Amino acid sequence: MKLHRNEKYFKWGLTGFLVFVACAMFWIVFSNLRGFYELLLDFFDIISPILFGCLFAYLMNPIMKRTQRFFEKLLAKTKLSDRKQLTMAKTGGLLVSLLVLAFAVYALIALIVPNIISSLEELLQQSKLEGYYNRINDWVNNVFAGTRFEEWFHDNLDSLLKILTDWLKKIDISKLLTGVTSSVYSVVMFVFNMLVGVVAAVYILLYKKKLCAQAKKITVAVFNTKHTNRLFEIARRTNRIFSGYVIGKIIDAIFVGVVTYFALLIMGMPYAPLIAVLVGVTNIIPFFGPFLGAIPSALLLLIEQPIDALYFIIFILVLQMIDGNIIENRILGEKLGISDLWVLVAILVFGGIFGFGGMLLGVPIFAVIYTLIVDGVNERLKRKRYPADTNLYYSLQCVEDLPVEPQPSYSFVSVEPTYDMHAEDEDYDDDYDE
């Protein structure tokens, strides 16, 4: 009895100590938030090669899986042993995924970047800016003649044009780009981190099943059975949402950018590479993306040639209708399970905190959090023997109006999650033991 009391007091003391430590850490972090943020950035900078490796491996994994299955079907007709067939198929899939990654990097550096630089050089020429100003000036004089807006325009825009042209006279874009990239150390470290990331991605792809098995082993050792199964189900759910959404969004953005580029070339519009990259990159962002890319592009074409801006707007509207209703659904597959309102909330919250990366990853992260909240709410409702069907709550005036479900015959209520906990994980179904 005395031993039991001592154990109880020890647990109380340990709990109080941990609470005190957590409060102290919380106070230290938020009393020096800027320093803590810089410390996190330094830590992420140190492990950046591993982070690059995880990113590359995640993007390369679908290509490797499909290529490996293709090689397995070809090698199944040969007389090689199963082990050799597996090794050759896995090696072939890895090589193909590496070639795709190398081609993507080459296309970005050799094809896209020079075209963007040339478009910017053409756009920022002093004669071009003066021509833009004259066209806007004529338009303002014709439309807002005799109004206060015309007076304000001439008072402010004249000085702005003078400042901008003086700045351009002093700056050579080629020298500016050379100066930006002249930091040998930063360039070498970035290239080094990328190369180490590729090597790390290769090892991650080769030993992905073993790494997953080790993570599962640690989880089983640390948590109880109920929490372990729940964590496994959350991991599978997160992987399905992220793999389907992020990779699908990237593919869809590349498609939209390529279609925009060739459409602008066919229509003979200027700045095709710059506008195509802008439209494609911003298309990754849901909800706001098409507008973020189309509006500045249309304004740029409006200054150059107003009729081109009209044709571009019509083209973007048609492209977004086709992409949003047909192509994007085919690429992304299943919906995220959240409404457009929550997509907007996720973009605003995560984008405001983490910038462009938050806009891209905020939606799938919020989708995972949303499904966890739904599971928790449904579980509590079933424990109270209330229905989980949302349609029954539209006209609800008081709790007594809800139908009460019969009491189960067993002593505890087992709530099934939204997703099947024992569903076969599609990312592991083609992996084999080392």
Side-chain angles (χ1 to χ4, degrees), residues 100-115:
V100 173
L101 177 64
F103 176 76
V105 174
Y106 171 79
L108 179 64
I109 296 176
L111 301 179
I112 299 178
V113 174
N115 290 324

Side-chain angles (χ1 to χ4, degrees), residues 156-189:
N156 294 275
L157 269 295
D158 288 340
S159 59
L160 178 61
L161 178 64
K162 185 177 183 305
I163 295 173
L164 186 59
T165 52
D166 292 340
W167 178 76
L168 288 176
K169 290 178 181 178
K170 300 177 181 179
I171 294 179
D172 186 357
I173 294 180
S174 60
K175 293 182 179 180
L176 178 62
L177 294 173
T178 304
V180 171
T181 59
S182 62
S183 178
V184 178
Y185 175 77
S186 60
V187 172
V188 170
M189 288 303 299

Side-chain angles (χ1 to χ4, degrees), residues 117-153:
I117 294 175
S118 62
S119 298
L120 289 175
E121 289 178 344
E122 180 183 358
L123 177 63
L124 296 179
Q125 289 178 0
Q126 182 177 348
S127 59
K128 285 278 188 180
L129 292 176
E130 292 177 351
Y132 299 153
Y133 173 79
N134 292 330
R135 290 172 189 167
I136 296 176
N137 190 26
D138 294 339
W139 181 76
V140 170
N141 292 334
N142 293 330
V143 177
F144 299 97
T147 62
R148 292 183 178 180
F149 180 79
E150 182 185 13
E151 182 180 354
W152 175 89
F153 176 82

